[in-house]
Amino acid sequence: MISFPSNILFFYLLLSAFNPYNFIFQVHAYDCEVTLINGSTNQVLTAHCQSNGTDVGTTTLDPAGTGSFLTPVAGDKRSVASCDMTLGNLHGHFDVFDSDIYRSACAVRALSWRVDESGLYVFLDQQWSLKYHW
Ligand SMILES: *[C@@H]1O[C@H](CO)[C@@H](O)[C@H](O)[C@H]1NC(C)=O
Ligand SMILES: *[C@@H]1O[C@H](CO)[C@@H](O)[C@H](O)[C@H]1NC(C)=O
């Protein structure tokens, strides 16, 4: 029989090894789901996004299209996500997540943007507000 200095410690380590959240909490506290909504009436929105430096690919948002990706939010580490967006002949590069600004907004795990010809609207405090012009 193998003896351990502390059975409690052993069981803690055993549980930790099989707890999927253990790994996640060590890497980052949680993911914020950033959602992009095509708010144009007649144009396709294309977005190519980076989540804190990692390319998350390109999405094309068709009628009533929405697309989303996850970006990490960690205790005191800053995290920024940005997208290159094209809507018809409009083009721009925008930060769609910055933990310094949206950490508390994303405490509910999601942050939504609606994009139309005027620019980018963010959903905060139960309303859409125009945050960026093209
Ligand atoms: C999104 O894009 C398409 C173009 O593919 C457009 O027809 C549609 O009305 C747009 N907007 C919404 C809210 O679906
Ligand atoms: C985001 O990237 C920066 C620069 O690489 C890094 O210092 C920071 O820890 C990252 N943030 C998270 C939440 O991983």
Side-chain angles (χ1 to χ4, degrees), residues 38-44 61-65:
N38 165 22
S40 164
T41 53
N42 56 4
Q43 302 195 90
V44 177
L61 305 171
D62 287 330

Side-chain angles (χ1 to χ4, degrees), residues 9 16 27 33 51 54 66 73-74 92-93 100 109 119-120 130 132:
L9 177 64
S16 299
V27 177
E33 183 175 24
S51 166
T54 303
T66 65
V73 182
H93 185 88
D100 285 354
R109 307 281 194 270
L120 275 71
L130 185 60
Y132 301 118

Side-chain angles (χ1 to χ4, degrees), residues 57-121:
T58 302
T59 23
T60 299
L61 305 171
D62 287 330
T66 65
S68 52
F69 64 92
L70 299 174
T71 197
V73 182
D76 54 352
K77 291 185 195 161
R78 187 162 178 229
S79 153
V80 176
S82 61
C83 300
D84 272 309
M85 293 197 204
T86 303
L87 184 70
N89 59 9
L90 301 166
H91 183 84
H93 185 88
F94 306 100
D95 283 351
V96 290
F97 184 77
D98 181 335
S99 55
D100 285 354
I101 303 169
Y102 300 113
R103 186 190 303 273
S104 63
C106 220
V108 289
R109 307 281 194 270
L111 186 70
S112 296
W113 294 87
R114 200 186 73 217
V115 185
D116 68 16
E117 286 74 7
S118 313
L120 275 71
Y121 296 74

Side-chain angles (χ1 to χ4, degrees), residues 5-25:
S6 157
N7 284 340
I8 289 170
L9 177 64
F10 171 68
F11 280 113
Y12 173 74
L13 293 173
L14 190 70
L15 284 172
S16 299
F18 292 101
N19 179 358
Y21 295 104
N22 199 46
F23 174 72
I24 293 165
F25 285 135

